[in-house]
Amino acid sequence: MNKKRLLIIDDDSRNIFALEHTLRAKSYDCLSCLSAEEALKILSTDEPVDAILIDMMMPEMDGYDAIPIIKAIPERRSAYIVAVTAQAMIGDKEKCLEAGADAYISKPVDVDKLLAILSKI
């Protein structure tokens, strides 16, 4: 079985470290970056990525702005995007899905929920 490759976009390196550690233990291959701008550079190449986990609240460009741009890249139009957010208010999930995310998970990340979401890719 081929390992699924995930791109983790989060401005907090501790979140990246925790997610990568957990996901690698579950046989995912992880790539990460600290900004949406950096992610867009990676995603505009032919770097293989099966799914994207994006923090919705980041400085400069947040997930709400980045997701439509990612989806506008022809090769990434069908990218599976998981919105990761500390915002767990009523309406946040809908806002993330309206921005183009395929799934939503709140922080602190429930690993079992995340694995269930990622099992769809």
Side-chain angles (χ1 to χ4, degrees):
M1 179 182 131
N2 279 352
K3 279 188 175 186
K4 295 288 185 188
R5 191 134 199 249
L6 308 175
L7 174 60
I8 301 167
I9 310 162
D10 196 313
D11 61 321
D12 188 332
S13 58
R14 294 166 301 185
N15 292 337
I16 289 176
F17 178 83
L19 275 173
E20 280 189 347
H21 183 77
T22 303
L23 293 166
R24 284 199 170 115
K26 300 292 181 187
S27 296
Y28 286 94
D29 188 15
C30 299
L31 204 88
S32 62
C33 57
L34 293 165
S35 71
E37 292 86 350
E38 199 181 333
L40 291 170
K41 285 181 188 148
I42 293 168
L43 293 167
S44 60
T45 69
D46 57 2
E47 187 72 49
V49 173
D50 296 299
I52 300 163
L53 277 67
I54 185 167
D55 181 17
M56 297 307 281
M57 306 304 266
M58 291 185 289
E60 278 105 51
M61 185 187 300
D62 65 18
Y64 300 105
D65 293 331
I67 292 172
I69 297 169
I70 293 168
K71 295 278 188 173
I73 299 169
E75 298 75 32
R76 306 295 179 181
R77 199 168 284 129
S78 61
Y80 191 80
I81 300 178
V82 180
V84 182
T85 182
Q87 303 287 311
M89 313 282 269
I90 292 168
D92 283 331
K93 179 178 182 177
E94 292 72 19
K95 195 174 162 191
C96 292
L97 299 176
E98 277 171 28
D102 298 289
Y104 162 95
I105 193 159
S106 58
K107 291 179 184 176
V109 171
D110 178 321
V111 175
D112 293 330
K113 278 186 188 166
L114 180 58
L115 293 172
I117 289 168
L118 293 175
S119 70
K120 297 173 182 154
I121 60 170

